[in-house]
Amino acid sequence: MLVTSYVAFLLLLALCLGLELTARRAVPVQPVPTASTNPSFRGFQTLFLRGYLLALWADWLQGPYLYKLYRHYSFLESQIAILYVCGLASCVLLAPAAAWLPQALGRRRTCLLFCIAYSACCLTKLSRSYFVLLFGRILGGLSTSLLATAFEAWYVHRHLEVHDFPAEWIPSTFTRAASWNHGLAVAAGLVANLLAEWLGLGPVAPFLLAVPCLTACGWVLISHWGQEEREKGPQVEKPSPLLAAPSAAPARGPTQARFTRSCMEGLRCLLSDRRVLLLGAVQALFESVLYIFVFLWTPVLDPHSPPLGIIFSCLMAASMAGSSLYRLASSARYRLQPGQLLCLSVLLAFFSFFMLTFSTVPGQPRPGESFLAFLLLELACGLYFPAVSFLQGRIIPEERRTAVLTWFRLPLHLLACLGLLALHGEVSGTGGGEGGAGTRHMFGGCAAMMLAALLAVISLFTLSRHDSDLRLESVQGEGDI
């Protein structure tokens, strides 16, 4: 696996470069947007990315060696499954609080809370106590929820309410962040591998490196973001007219009332529109399986002594290749629709898990085939996320999107938790371990969930096959999805 992983990494980098260059040639050059020539906006965008990318970098550093660290501390696979379940459960239970905190505590302060909570989470990895590590997973769940909400809340508020930039400029910032995010993920695997294996510092080293990164992020928030707020002066909170309470409503707890009303309206939108419900089913099934994959990839490959950091970089490079492939396939040259690419991604993921049910037979593991299946799954993820993001933007009303996506995440995390608990039960009941029957059965269950997701995708586009809103403008009129 050592040679295989390094050869795969070089080939994937070449593939990413080739796909990126081909995609840039296939996508027609667009007129330069006003946003890119506005120095005030560019400065504000750079200020935001300086803090946000440091937070993302610290998050990615913890990916390659989390499972390995728990095994290094001699915990059983069933015990590690419970640790992962606690992290996922905390995401579910603390997600409403993470969405509410920016309004109650303040957006920048909530981002600072993320830095503090995630630093404490990383420091708990120094302890061999199971309960300390359990507490660290709860802090990690809170931090993950804050990373997904607080930074975006600060940026959107300052962009619209303080600087009064056009709303159409917001996607350019997050597109730029997404481009950096892929590179950060690949680099994080290399750096983690350098610390843990090449320098021999052990699997806890990447977590310790994340702490100064989070400290640097906090310093940017205090000094630069704070200076930006002071220069612009204190701002009065402007409640959205879509969430504002009627004039006759009592003033008690307006923030909590708006939040509760937003959640209920999101639930009504989810239940009243079959397209939204089907899209939520696809997202819950597909992404819950990814959480299970995050738990299982290390115990499947680690017994064969691969460099886990390099393996992680390979997986992230495969995802980057999928993202470039999406841009290329949806360009005017090839004219594939997001719906078609979503079907392709789910089908590819199903095939990957189908392969894994045969490559993880107890007593007859085939790590090379498992590694290939994992790469195909990450390639599917690179296709899936831009496709589902496009469809969310077209199917879910903008004023309800945040609340609806919050409801999407509830079954998503619940399915992931149930899957890991089922694996914990199999391992505890049979005495199996890495590469045992429990792992193979879990991959079979994931394949069944992907098949259900594929049926939901087909139902969605059978229902909406003549809906022009679900088509890219540049290729409308070229046939049905």
Side-chain angles (χ1 to χ4, degrees), residues 205-257:
F207 297 92
L208 297 182
L209 178 61
V211 175
C213 296
L214 291 165
T215 303
C217 178
W219 178 80
V220 170
L221 303 185
I222 293 172
S223 60
H224 294 76
W225 287 22
Q227 181 182 10
E228 205 269 349
E229 291 186 0
R230 287 190 296 271
E231 288 176 352
K232 296 296 177 181
Q235 298 296 317
V236 177
E237 179 71 21
K238 299 179 182 179
S240 169
L242 295 166
L243 301 179
S247 57
R252 180 176 59 85
T255 299
Q256 183 178 0

